[in-house]
Amino acid sequence: MNGNSIFILALRRLRAPLLLLISVYAIGIVGLVLIPGVDDAGRPVRMGFFHAFYFLTYTASTIGFGEIPYAFTDTQRLWVSFVIVLSVVGWAYTLTGFLALGRDRGFRLAVTMTVFRRQVRAIGEPFYVVCGYGETGSLVCKGLEELCIRFVVLDIEPARIDELELQSFRSDVPAMVCDARLPENLIRAGVTRKNCLGTLALTNDDEVNLAVAITMKLLNRRVPVLCRATRETTVANMESFATDHIINPFRAFGDHLWDSLHAPVMHRLMLRLTGLPGTQVLQPTQPPRGHWVVCGYGRFGREVVGSFLREGLSVTIVDPEPPVDARHRFVRGLGTEAPTLIEAGLQGAVGIVAGTDDDINNLSIAMTARAENPRLYTVVRQNLQANRVLFNRFRADMTMVSAEIIANEALARIGAPLLGRFLRFAEAQSEIWAEVLDSRLEEKLGDEVPALWEISIDAADAPAWIPARGARPDPGALTLLLRDPSERERLLECVALLLVRGSQEVALPDAEFALLPGDTILFAGRPSARAAQTLVARNANVRNYVATGTQAPGGYIWQWLHRHHAATGAQAGGDATSGALTTRADLPQNHPR
């Protein structure tokens, strides 16, 4: 809806008041023109239309200016008195209509939509469309803000949009209250624009997220879609039409739990690579092996039980409405009462999982279980971020927070799209391999979660590596991106995780690996290392210093003088100075393994 449509809608809403006001003016003007007056000499005179309109304009607005062009007769004054009463009524009715227009839901929606579309069109840099500003969406938006990435927000709840407007983001965030399932709303949000990087369907309704995924595949297949899904049927449906990224928080936590049991070192490595950059790496304790009690057999409980059974552990499930399933042992109840937990074998258990969809019940279950058996390993599910203080005070051995799991994985994929490919490769490796990489990252960064970024050897990311037209290609080694541009002998605090060349992948490439145009490298390290690396990739003089140790002049005049001096020196001293500059052409050409 454009500005003209808003104007037409306003005229439609104010049709009756404006017609009444126009009628009052028309009647008053006609009367003043028809009723004769007298001039200063006592001769009859009639007022013109312009003078009549001018007189009514300042009289009806209560300004007052006097009787023009001559003093009125009693008949004229009687008519003017009548018209003033009519105009007061007409203006009062019109002003009431304007006030009602400001409260009209349809008009306000039209104005909001127009302003929203203009804000989206004004975004010149790349941006994401976030559908759903709940607990997960708010965490993702804060992460995008830290990554300096613009975003647009759609949510069906007005209170959430109001909360968004209270946040202090660096730039204005276009946001609209609407149903993200409707294609026109996604189009208004800019999903068909060239600078749209992707769409994040993060609502708490699987059907809405599924509709967004389908719509995006039809509207703009180029734009990747990341969807939240908690039901297996929804996940299967999304996978059937190749949704780019699907995050099931319950399955993700089940995998984390299984990793912590089966491969604790790999689990710690995954936490390091998928955590929020700058935070401390969690040091989870390994869950013990033995008998477990799981309270709640919903979507979360099923994933947890499946992880335990994959490791051959025995499980007793506590649920108020246990299903008929001969494969498991069930105890009817909620788990908040000690007798129910004792019946489930709490005294001989090594751990308990409080996994219902109610935070207070989960805390009650965990506290009751710990009171009966203080040695228990406790796993607690937290549903709402508002209860974080309570869960922090309880200090469970492992806490599952759906919003954080989804937000961390989403931000990791946004900041470094190649991370998913590297994690799939890492999952197939051994614990020894994970221990070596984790130790390497810890040596570089300590206990800090690294930042993840990618650099492509192209004109956009690394123009210093792209030879000029007609020049001989000069492929540099990966080591040039690993050295400090201020002191080339010192290595940056970062690690190259993955190199992609076309369809080939090289995990943990060697420092002497030769880079070619088109290569993309995934790095993990400190943000300061990323800034230094960007300088090497973009500045040819800095790259030359890192490669040769020679600092070339920076300006065009100084470069010309340097070349002229070198040429003069070459003529005078032969090849005495020609060896001062070296290239990397002699480096061995490594190939992907």
Side-chain angles (χ1 to χ4, degrees), residues 541-576:
N541 292 330
V542 176
R543 177 186 183 276
N544 180 70
Y545 164 72
V546 172
T548 66
T550 303
Q551 297 190 20
Y556 290 107
I557 296 178
W558 288 108
Q559 289 181 12
W560 180 84
L561 291 174
H562 179 74
R563 290 195 299 268
H564 178 71
H565 177 72
T568 304
Q571 294 176 359
D575 296 332

Side-chain angles (χ1 to χ4, degrees), residues 271-282 445 447-451 525:
L271 291 178
R272 183 186 297 274
L273 294 177
T274 58
L276 291 177
T279 61
Q280 293 296 313
V281 179
L282 296 177
L445 307 170
D447 291 333
E448 183 178 335
V449 175

Side-chain angles (χ1 to χ4, degrees), residues 146-148 276-279 444-445 448-453 455 485 492-495 523-535:
E146 294 178 359
L147 293 173
C148 298
L276 291 177
T279 61
K444 292 280 187 180
L445 307 170
E448 183 178 335
V449 175
L452 301 172
W453 68 90
I455 287 186
L492 295 173
E493 295 177 317
C494 65
V495 175
F523 291 94
R526 297 189 187 276
S528 58
R530 179 179 186 179
Q533 203 174 76
T534 302
L535 187 62

Side-chain angles (χ1 to χ4, degrees), residues 231-254:
R231 293 197 299 267
E232 290 299 326
T233 54
T234 306
V235 172
N237 198 341
M238 290 179 177
E239 290 176 344
S240 66
F241 55 87
T243 300
D244 299 280
H245 305 294
I246 306 170
I247 302 177
N248 183 342
F250 304 137
R251 177 188 293 179
F253 183 81

Side-chain angles (χ1 to χ4, degrees), residues 102-147:
R103 297 192 302 268
D104 184 84
R105 182 177 179 182
F107 180 76
R108 287 190 300 172
L109 178 61
V111 173
T112 301
M113 290 172 56
T114 301
V115 173
F116 174 76
R117 294 189 68 173
R118 289 178 178 175
Q119 288 179 330
V120 173
R121 289 174 181 173
I123 299 178
E125 55 266 46
F127 68 95
Y128 280 89
V129 177
V130 180
C131 301
Y133 190 74
E135 293 189 342
T136 304
S138 61
L139 290 176
V140 171
C141 289
K142 292 177 182 177
L144 291 174
E145 173 77 1
E146 294 178 359
L147 293 173

Side-chain angles (χ1 to χ4, degrees), residues 462-513:
W465 293 64
I466 303 301
R469 182 176 299 178
R472 184 170 58 89
D474 181 21
L478 177 62
T479 185
L480 301 184
L481 291 175
L482 300 176
R483 295 187 177 277
D484 193 331
S486 61
E487 186 178 344
R488 64 186 297 267
E489 300 300 329
R490 183 171 58 191
L491 296 178
L492 295 173
E493 295 177 317
C494 65
V495 175
L497 299 179
L498 182 69
L499 184 143
V500 175
R501 177 177 296 171
S503 59
Q504 298 176 309
E505 298 179 355
V506 180
L508 304 179
D510 297 330
E512 296 303 319
F513 194 95

Side-chain angles (χ1 to χ4, degrees), residues 90-246:
W91 274 112
Y93 185 35
T94 303
L95 292 176
T96 303
F98 273 104
L99 294 176
L101 181 65
R103 297 192 302 268
D104 184 84
R105 182 177 179 182
F107 180 76
R108 287 190 300 172
L109 178 61
V111 173
T112 301
M113 290 172 56
T114 301
V115 173
F116 174 76
R117 294 189 68 173
R118 289 178 178 175
Q119 288 179 330
V120 173
R121 289 174 181 173
I123 299 178
E125 55 266 46
F127 68 95
Y128 280 89
V129 177
V130 180
C131 301
Y133 190 74
E135 293 189 342
T136 304
S138 61
L139 290 176
V140 171
C141 289
K142 292 177 182 177
L144 291 174
E145 173 77 1
E146 294 178 359
L147 293 173
C148 298
I149 299 176
R150 296 288 301 275
F151 53 92
V152 177
V153 176
L154 304 179
D155 198 289
I156 200 169
E157 293 292 337
R160 293 176 180 170
I161 299 300
D162 294 339
E163 179 184 352
L164 170 65
E165 294 176 350
L166 295 176
Q167 302 297 321
S168 56
F169 293 112
R170 282 189 291 266
S171 57
D172 293 335
V173 178
M176 185 172 66
V177 179
C178 64
D179 189 348
R181 287 177 293 189
L182 302 180
E184 57 265 27
N185 291 331
L186 291 173
I187 294 175
R188 292 189 186 101
V191 296
T192 57
R193 298 188 61 192
K194 293 183 179 180
N195 58 334
C196 180
L197 293 176
T199 302
L200 309 176
L202 304 175
T203 73
N204 55 5
D205 189 333
D206 278 12
E207 297 301 324
V208 174
N209 298 336
L210 176 62
V212 171
I214 294 176
T215 302
M216 289 305 305
K217 286 300 179 182
L218 296 175
L219 286 179
N220 193 351
R221 186 175 292 271
R222 174 189 63 83
V223 175
V225 185
L226 187 148
C227 293
R228 167 186 177 179
T230 57
R231 293 197 299 267
E232 290 299 326
T233 54
T234 306
V235 172
N237 198 341
M238 290 179 177
E239 290 176 344
S240 66
F241 55 87
T243 300
D244 299 280
H245 305 294
I246 306 170

Side-chain angles (χ1 to χ4, degrees), residues 413 416-423 454 498-500 520-522:
R413 292 182 181 275
L418 291 181
L419 177 63
R421 299 169 69 169
F422 178 75
L423 293 181
E454 297 174 8
L498 182 69
L499 184 143
V500 175
T520 302
I521 310 100
L522 171 65

